[in-house]
Amino acid sequence: MSETRSQAGRIALVALFVTALTTAQLTASKLLAFDLPVELPVTGASIILPGAALAYALTFFASDCYSELYGRRAAQVMVNVGFAMNFVLLALVWSTILAPAANPEAAGQYRAVLAPGTNIVLGSLLAYLVSQNWDVLVFHRIRDATGSSMLWLRNIVSTATSQAIDTVLFVGVAFYVAPRLLGFGDVLPVSVILGLIVGQYLLKLLIALVDTPFVYAVVAFFGGSEIDREENAWATD
């Protein structure tokens, strides 16, 4: 892989990861509803999703591409830097909310829209720290077992399992625990919480299946994995 293309891949994937992550934090408080052609247990004939579902799913796509190209240690650094950026986002939003306003009415509307985002960030912080590190760990555990082949397997398994962890933690904290503790936003009924978990996970699982060819394409575009095939990434950190 040429040095220029390698550096371009690092910058592009980190940029996608951070952009998708911050977009997810700012859009998650809006709930989306989609009709289904059939009725499902828990959700019925429709699914309800946080607005961040697609944006957050892209973070797993970016981290899987980054893991395959640059290795487990590099991917964990990216994930943990992204975790720290959640605190930067929270500090910037609240510094703006608390700053003196030229238009108090508009400031009240601003607070009403963005303050519940604190619930989203708190839920995301816990879910993110656990699920993203799990994603990287499982991805490379499978890679150690299969070598450089079967990228599709480690992409699907790592994303599907980490998304399950992420969905339960995120929805539970952001829409039930945090609103009760902080008083921002509405505490959703348990039935709605369960519907959100099922609906969001179904979308994330679909994305995990659909994005596999794109993971292959991105890895090939940036010149293939830089990981030494003889390296035992699981044992040498």
Side-chain angles (χ1 to χ4, degrees), residues 111-135:
R111 180 188 176 97
V113 170
L114 289 184
T118 301
N119 302 334
I120 303 303
V121 174
L122 291 177
S124 178
L125 284 172
L126 176 61
Y128 174 92
L129 186 62
V130 176
S131 64
Q132 288 283 2
N133 280 286
W134 174 264
D135 182 65

Side-chain angles (χ1 to χ4, degrees), residues 147-227:
S148 60
S149 63
M150 301 181 74
L151 171 57
W152 62 270
L153 178 64
R154 52 187 175 272
N155 177 63
I156 292 173
V157 173
S158 65
T159 301
T161 56
S162 59
Q163 292 280 28
I165 295 169
D166 174 80
T167 301
V168 173
L169 290 176
F170 170 70
V171 173
V173 173
F175 296 101
Y176 190 81
V177 176
R180 279 185 175 274
L181 295 178
L182 301 179
F184 303 133
D186 298 325
V187 178
L188 299 183
V190 174
S191 60
V192 177
I193 295 290
L194 293 176
L196 279 171
I197 290 173
V198 173
Q200 186 173 2
Y201 184 67
L202 287 176
L203 176 65
K204 289 177 176 180
L205 189 59
L206 176 63
I207 291 173
L209 297 173
V210 171
D211 78 358
T212 300
F214 296 97
V215 173
Y216 273 95
V218 169
V219 171
F221 180 80
F222 289 115
S225 178
E226 291 185 358
I227 304 171

Side-chain angles (χ1 to χ4, degrees), residues 1 29 31 39 45 47 54 65 96 105 195:
M1 180 187 296
S29 58
L31 301 183
E39 289 198 11
I47 58 172
L54 178 59
C65 291
T96 306
E105 182 179 352

Side-chain angles (χ1 to χ4, degrees), residues 3-205:
E3 185 65 24
T4 300
R5 182 166 290 196
S6 173
Q7 290 300 318
R10 289 178 182 270
I11 293 170
L13 289 171
V14 169
L16 174 62
F17 185 86
V18 174
T19 300
L21 180 64
T22 54
T23 300
Q25 313 298 26
L26 296 175
T27 58
S29 58
K30 179 178 180 178
L31 301 183
L32 312 178
F34 297 95
D35 293 331
L36 298 174
V38 296
E39 289 198 11
L40 298 176
V42 181
T43 65
S46 65
I47 58 172
I48 302 174
L49 307 168
L54 178 59
Y56 202 60
L58 283 176
T59 66
F60 288 89
F61 168 77
S63 65
D64 283 351
C65 291
Y66 204 85
S67 289
E68 180 65 17
L69 284 164
Y70 309 115
R72 180 164 67 93
R73 180 175 295 176
Q76 285 179 323
V77 169
M78 181 181 74
V79 165
N80 292 323
V81 168
F83 177 77
M85 292 303 102
N86 280 281
F87 290 99
V88 175
L89 173 65
L90 198 59
L92 291 174
V93 168
W94 272 100
S95 65
T96 306
I97 289 174
L98 297 174
N103 185 333
E105 182 179 352
Q109 295 173 347
Y110 183 88
R111 180 188 176 97
V113 170
L114 289 184
T118 301
N119 302 334
I120 303 303
V121 174
L122 291 177
S124 178
L125 284 172
L126 176 61
Y128 174 92
L129 186 62
V130 176
S131 64
Q132 288 283 2
N133 280 286
W134 174 264
D135 182 65
V136 173
L137 185 148
V138 171
F139 187 95
H140 282 278
R141 186 66 180 270
I142 296 174
R143 195 182 198 281
D144 291 340
T146 62
S148 60
S149 63
M150 301 181 74
L151 171 57
W152 62 270
L153 178 64
R154 52 187 175 272
N155 177 63
I156 292 173
V157 173
S158 65
T159 301
T161 56
S162 59
Q163 292 280 28
I165 295 169
D166 174 80
T167 301
V168 173
L169 290 176
F170 170 70
V171 173
V173 173
F175 296 101
Y176 190 81
V177 176
R180 279 185 175 274
L181 295 178
L182 301 179
F184 303 133
D186 298 325
V187 178
L188 299 183
V190 174
S191 60
V192 177
I193 295 290
L194 293 176
L196 279 171
I197 290 173
V198 173
Q200 186 173 2
Y201 184 67
L202 287 176
L203 176 65
K204 289 177 176 180
L205 189 59

